[in-house]
Amino acid sequence: MASSPPSVQVRDSIDLTPKETQIFQKLLQVVRHFSLRTQLRVAGGWVRDKLLGKECYDIDIALDDMLGREFCEKINDYLSCTGEEKQGIGVIQCNPDQSKHLETARMRLFDEWIDFVNLRSEDYSENSRIPTMRFGTAKEDAYRRDLTINSLFYNINTSSVEDFTGRGIEDLKSGKIVTPLPPKDTFLDDPLRVLRAIRFGARFGFILDEELKLAAGCDDVRAAIADKISRERIGHEIDLMISGNEPVKAMTYICDLLLFSVVFSLPPIVKPAISEECDRLCIGYIDAGWNLIQLIGSSTFNDEQRRLYLYAALFLPFRKTLYEGGKARKIPVVNHIIRNSLKLRASDADTVVSIHCAVEKFISLIPFIESTESIQISEAEWGIEILDLPVTSKLRILTGLLLREIKGFWRVALMVSTLLYPNDINHTRDISKNNFQLDKRRKVFEMVENAIVGLGLEEVWELKPLVNGKDIMNVLQLKSGGPLVRDWQQKLIQWQLAHPSGTAEECLDWMRQKRPKRE
């Protein structure tokens, strides 16, 4: 972790955009028209980002004496009085499992969505992260927030920044992640705040306060994270970290605070057993993977490919670890982590597991792409019967079949495979020392990528079969399909890959010559 805070440029005041000025003036007109005593404050992230000189379009209005829904109705009443069109009001009900403890009202003003919510104070019971809510003062609301840098307000009535904790601006300038109240109390009240502290620390490059780190890693807080936070919320925070600008720093914080096994929880029994240093190895792989993608060029992947690439790199040490599911099925542990520990989409788990499977096949192919030597591939490893053809044809067949399995994620799988190839280093030792020969791995990636493009296989999954099942049944003189037809469909795709200019009739002629008489 970083040991010294960064130097942060923080503005003395907030400069509003023309649209923000329009929005705030409209809200003040509503207050004056109805002679309300309401103080309008923009809360949290918008204030922080504006002081850092960053644009932010997420405007949350905090009200000191009414519910958000009530104020939105006042806005519509005012719009009717001035002959303007009313706006629809959306009410987001409180949802404790999603960290929504209060009702929020939303409406559109000047083509921007604005959230309205009342200021609140929170009281927590011992065994729940769901607080009892009541109207609170701005100061109470500031102190109940997760971090001092998120506790700032911009008072629209007075056009001024308000720092009720007395630490928000100071901590922003010094680049520190600090809780308004004692960190252990804050985290035990709502353990999700630990992950938010990590996410913001990584995002802004800020250092975590020493007392905060001690509290975040203590046994009581670790147990509270496991027991009081829904897995959906844990997964949401982790996904924001992985998709953010500093995923490695965020995962390193999780590891350093001894939270890795809490966040990425495993089934009770796994085989082979997980080593004690596995969390450090995971961090080493995502670090190497992140550095490799920067070296090759981040534009190689789109956002979704980059996200799943980082998950695949992070969980690389688990790729061969299994647990027993229903009906004694052997299931990859990575599947459990993504589906159950993080509650991400089932398709995310399927894709990462597919990437790991493809990695093993890429590793077996890379030496032959490098040297074009005679290919000796285990049919059991690939799960297919490989046609007896010349080396160049066999290489095209195997590569094509692999890309047809992994489809648009083949570059992701290839890059992950370069983290394991060449295998002439001690990964456990060398990856933790950042001695990972990244330039050598970049050259391997580019060499294999160019070879695949040169073979015309970069979108081979779009290849349509020359011969359909009905044609195969006619040659085999069958009245219905079945395993035999599926077997020949696989063989004919191999022939098609070996003969990219072949015709349907040539494909069928080959089949007639090859099929045994008994068929």
Side-chain angles (χ1 to χ4, degrees), residues 374-390:
S374 178
I375 294 182
Q376 299 295 328
I377 295 289
S378 166
E379 294 185 8
E381 180 184 347
W382 282 66
I384 57 172
E385 180 183 347
I386 303 167
L387 300 183
D388 185 17
L389 291 166

Side-chain angles (χ1 to χ4, degrees), residues 19-36:
K19 182 169 286 190
E20 289 165 347
T21 300
Q22 278 184 306
I23 292 169
F24 295 167
Q25 285 178 349
K26 181 68 71 177
L27 298 179
L28 289 175
Q29 287 166 9
V30 174
V31 171
R32 296 187 190 109
H33 179 81
F34 293 104
S35 300
L36 302 176

Side-chain angles (χ1 to χ4, degrees), residues 96 99-103 117-125 128-137 139-146 180-181 185-191 193:
S99 283
K100 274 285 181 188
H101 304 310
L102 274 186
E103 174 187 288
V117 70
N118 58 282
L119 294 172
R120 65 267 203 196
S121 182
E122 299 175 347
D123 298 309
Y124 287 87
S125 62
S128 175
R129 64 177 294 270
I130 302 172
T132 301
M133 291 293 180
R134 58 180 172 80
F135 273 89
T137 65
K139 186 172 184 176
E140 286 175 324
D141 192 281
Y143 272 98
R144 65 105 198 150
R145 291 180 179 265
D146 53 0
L181 295 173
D185 295 341
T186 298
F187 294 154
L188 289 177
D189 281 346
D190 184 355
R193 291 168 173 166

Side-chain angles (χ1 to χ4, degrees), residues 458-489:
E458 64 266 37
E459 292 185 350
V460 69
W461 57 93
E462 303 287 353
L463 180 69
K464 303 298 182 187
L466 290 172
V467 177
N468 59 34
K470 188 176 180 180
D471 293 330
I472 295 171
M473 288 165 59
N474 287 337
V475 172
L476 299 178
Q477 299 178 350
L478 297 174
K479 293 182 179 180
S480 62
L484 189 58
V485 173
R486 288 194 295 273
D487 183 48
W488 272 104
Q489 285 175 323

